[in-house]
Amino acid sequence: MTEVDTLIIGSGFAGLGLAIRLQREGRGSYLVLERAHDVGGTWRDNVYPGVACDIPSHLYSFSFRPNPDWSQFYAPGGEILQYLRDAALDEAVLPQIRFGADVTAAHWDAEASRWIVSTPVGDFRSAVLVVATGRLSERRLPELPGLPSFAGPVFHSSEWPEDLDLAGSRLGLVGTGASAVQLLPALADAAAGVVVFQRSAPYVVPRGNRLYSDDERAALAADPAALLELRRTQFWDAETGFAARIRASAPLERLRSAAVRQLESQVPDESLRAALTPDYEIGCKRVLLSDDYYPAFARPRVSLEPSAVAVVDAEGVTAASGRRHEVDVLILATGFTSTEPPIARRVRGRDGLLLADAWSDGMVAHNSTTVAGFPNLFVIDGPNASLGHNSAVHMIETQIGFVLEAIDHLAAFDAQTLEPTREAQDHYVRELDRRAATTVWTTGGCRSWYVDERSARLTLLWPDTASAFRDEAGHFDPADYVVDLELPAVGDVRS
Ligand code: NAP
């Protein structure tokens, strides 16, 4: 059994970010457990054609590792993966990562005040356990009747087969989320045909990507203050996007008309345009950014099936509309199990309580990071810690700061454990529910993965601005926690 002070599960932005801070600043020993054989999380897994980020590159990177060399405003996925690989290498955290370490079970040993974690590469013990497994790591595969009988390749967008040759193939693309919208333009060129199965139409606004010139990159490299200022500007620009999510009428109207104008200008065919028009309020689902999604439908070999997949057979798909489409390859861009993370079925806290049971009505956490009943457990990018309008990296860094403050508190008081009180957690969750109740995510008339189907609660998103998250949930307040102090023996107390 290997023992360290802190165990981190996952080596995406969250796990690596925390590891880098621990490596740079100390706070005892740590290890990162990574089930795959490379770092990078979602950017390692998602290598489908066209994969890119829809948050500006300078904002979608660690504030403590700015990168003047981003090639463009919105970085392609491969460049982000390389950024994370470089970070792991340069910051000397790679030797602290155990690859192939899929966590099969983790439980709290109350007597020893330690987490015991099992993996195929060994067992580990730690005082602190940080779940940094992300919300886009477990693919959601729809149960489509007849799917096993399909004769051709079927795969999820996050499991793109290496060396797949699509030339001459007719493709069925299931889903119209952020992944599908990036995939379609890339596939339209490569394949003999693509039919898009759309269960609900997305809102798509112009993306407006552009390359940074060599001169711009050199100027940023030479001027760290300018680089920081660029990031700051991008952050506050993105923050303005929150107003539409609380249904402020002018910002909501501006966002809606940007999407409608793009649809009208790019899709002249009236019936196609009607089929591509969403029937819910903009922002209720993630607003997608693309300049070439709608134009792809103008190509002769691309068609829209404006209904869900109903039945699959050996050579094709029958849609809910009753239409049948012959396809050779089926691509499932059907998203991820974000509201019910499988890791929660492997983590047991005090008295054997399973995290998935504590979350049976949906994920909850105090400060979006700590869970009553789970001492010294921290969850990054879990309950109410995502955004629909700004950078996930800002949220992750906020939570990393919180974890470090909590670890410092344990050390400062020579304490063994800390755990949020039930009252503090309930109060926090009630407050988030109150804010969520007037947002477009709960009132916009859509079904989205931001909302837990079991309770209809908004469990994935933080229902406020990213800056409010840092102010309100970014600092460890001992008043909300039961801290198990190792009280000194009376004789040890000095006056
Ligand atoms: P997603 O947003 O969850 O979209 C899944 C799509 O699959 C939806 O259109 C959904 O339809 C459809 N679907 C699911 N089950 C279906 C079924 N049984 N039959 C027909 N359609 C079905 O997943 P995603 O596109 O992979 O994106 C997930 C998240 O990843 C994004 O929101 C974003 O946070 C992130 N992402 C970001 C980028 C980027 O930065 N550009 C790119 C990719 C992903 P309904 O809408 O009707 O449910």
Side-chain angles (χ1 to χ4, degrees):
M1 176 107 58
T2 308
E3 174 138 7
V4 288
D5 295 315
T6 302
L7 275 175
I8 303 165
I9 311 176
S11 67
F13 261 106
L16 274 185
L18 177 57
I20 291 169
R21 294 282 310 269
L22 289 172
Q23 182 73 29
R24 283 186 183 185
E25 300 166 26
R27 291 180 177 88
S29 55
Y30 75 92
L31 279 177
V32 180
L33 305 177
E34 169 54 60
R35 69 179 175 186
H37 294 275
D38 191 3
V39 300
T42 193
W43 299 104
R44 174 199 60 228
D45 295 342
N46 284 272
V47 294
Y48 58 78
V51 64
C53 189
D54 57 11
I55 297 293
S57 327
H58 289 284
L59 185 54
Y60 195 83
S61 38
F62 294 125
S63 63
F64 48 82
R65 264 192 79 85
N67 171 23
D69 287 326
W70 289 116
S71 67
Q72 43 202 295
F73 192 79
Y74 295 114
E79 201 173 325
I80 300 171
L81 176 58
Q82 195 54 49
Y83 169 81
L84 291 172
R85 284 177 174 157
D86 291 346
L89 189 67
D90 297 350
E91 301 279 351
V93 302
L94 268 185
Q96 300 309 114
I97 304 178
R98 298 291 170 269
F99 291 105
D102 191 3
V103 170
T104 50
H107 76 268
W108 175 249
D109 177 345
E111 253 172 49
S113 293
R114 289 291 179 273
W115 282 97
I116 312 291
V117 179
S118 306
T119 81
V121 297
D123 292 343
F124 300 84
R125 242 165 77 105
S126 66
V128 166
L129 180 63
V130 181
V131 174
T133 49
R135 70 201 132 88
L136 304 173
S137 49
E138 304 285 345
R139 64 199 200 280
R140 189 175 53 205
L141 292 175
E143 286 178 19
L144 303 175
L147 190 61
S149 68
F150 187 67
V154 183
F155 50 89
H156 187 266
S157 51
S158 69
E159 293 189 313
W160 202 263
E162 249 177 76
D163 304 325
L164 179 72
D165 184 7
L166 294 172
S169 296
R170 296 162 303 172
L171 314 180
L173 176 60
V174 184
T176 51
S179 302
V181 160
Q182 293 179 340
L183 264 166
L184 179 65
L187 297 177
D189 283 334
V194 188
V195 51
V196 178
F197 293 89
Q198 171 191 276
R199 188 166 68 180
S200 36
Y203 281 97
V204 185
V205 297
R207 183 160 183 254
N209 192 26
R210 73 172 186 87
L211 295 174
Y212 287 117
S213 69
D214 290 348
D215 286 351
E216 280 176 303
R217 285 186 283 149
L220 288 174
D223 187 350
L227 187 56
L228 222 83
E229 182 55 23
L230 175 59
R231 182 191 173 90
R232 211 187 68 80
T233 309
Q234 291 180 342
F235 175 80
W236 289 108
D237 276 357
E239 282 290 72
T240 62
F242 183 70
R245 272 58 177 197
I246 48 171
R247 312 195 66 134
S249 52
L252 191 64
E253 179 51 35
R254 267 199 303 277
L255 189 60
R256 198 188 304 117
S257 44
V260 170
R261 267 200 316 273
Q262 164 146 287
L263 178 62
E264 286 176 350
S265 66
Q266 292 189 332
V267 183
D269 182 284
E270 209 173 309
S271 66
L272 178 61
R273 202 164 63 226
L276 288 167
T277 301
D279 61 0
Y280 53 87
E281 186 54 278
I282 190 163
C284 185
K285 291 172 189 274
R286 192 176 177 89
V287 178
L288 307 182
L289 273 64
S290 177
D291 304 322
D292 47 8
Y293 178 66
Y294 291 139
F297 288 103
R299 306 204 194 165
R301 300 166 303 172
V302 175
S303 63
L304 177 74
E305 169 51 64
S307 73
V309 170
V311 189
V312 181
D313 57 56
E315 278 109 32
V317 171
T318 303
S321 64
R323 279 182 292 271
R324 184 164 182 287
H325 303 269
E326 291 202 347
V327 294
D328 309 307
V329 178
L330 211 44
I331 300 163
L332 305 173
T334 46
F336 301 87
T337 58
S338 310
T339 50
E340 294 183 54
I343 188 74
R345 292 198 292 272
R346 302 179 195 169
V347 175
R348 288 187 184 275
R350 256 189 309 112
D351 307 320
L353 177 65
L354 194 64
L355 188 55
D357 288 341
W359 287 352
S360 58
D361 272 347
M363 298 187 293
V364 285
H366 184 47
N367 287 310
S368 300
T369 307
T370 50
V371 187
F374 295 81
N376 295 5
L377 178 77
F378 300 88
V379 184
I380 301 184
D381 205 6
N384 297 109
S386 303
L387 293 173
H389 73 285
N390 206 331
S391 172
V393 181
H394 177 89
M395 303 297 274
I396 285 169
E397 284 194 28
T398 299
Q399 292 186 284
I400 289 172
F402 180 94
V403 174
L404 296 179
E405 283 185 19
I407 291 176
D408 286 347
H409 189 82
L410 282 171
F413 289 89
D414 212 5
Q416 290 286 308
T417 63
L418 54 82
E419 181 189 329
T421 65
R422 178 80 51 189
E423 294 70 34
Q425 178 172 297
D426 288 350
H427 181 266
Y428 180 84
V429 171
R430 265 199 310 277
E431 171 57 19
L432 295 197
D433 286 349
R434 186 190 67 74
R435 288 186 212 182
T438 50
T439 62
V440 72
W441 299 302
T442 56
T443 62
C446 75
R447 234 183 63 176
S448 87
W449 55 274
Y450 295 152
V451 171
D452 194 298
E453 284 183 345
R454 296 166 297 181
S455 57
R457 289 186 47 246
L458 182 79
T459 57
L460 212 73
L461 296 189
W462 163 253
D464 212 315
T465 60
S467 51
F469 186 69
R470 189 152 293 184
D471 291 346
E472 294 180 38
H475 297 287
F476 176 76
D477 180 354
D480 294 343
Y481 287 79
V482 176
V483 181
D484 174 16
L485 298 176
E486 290 261 287
L487 292 176
V490 176
D492 292 346
V493 178
R494 300 201 185 117
S495 54

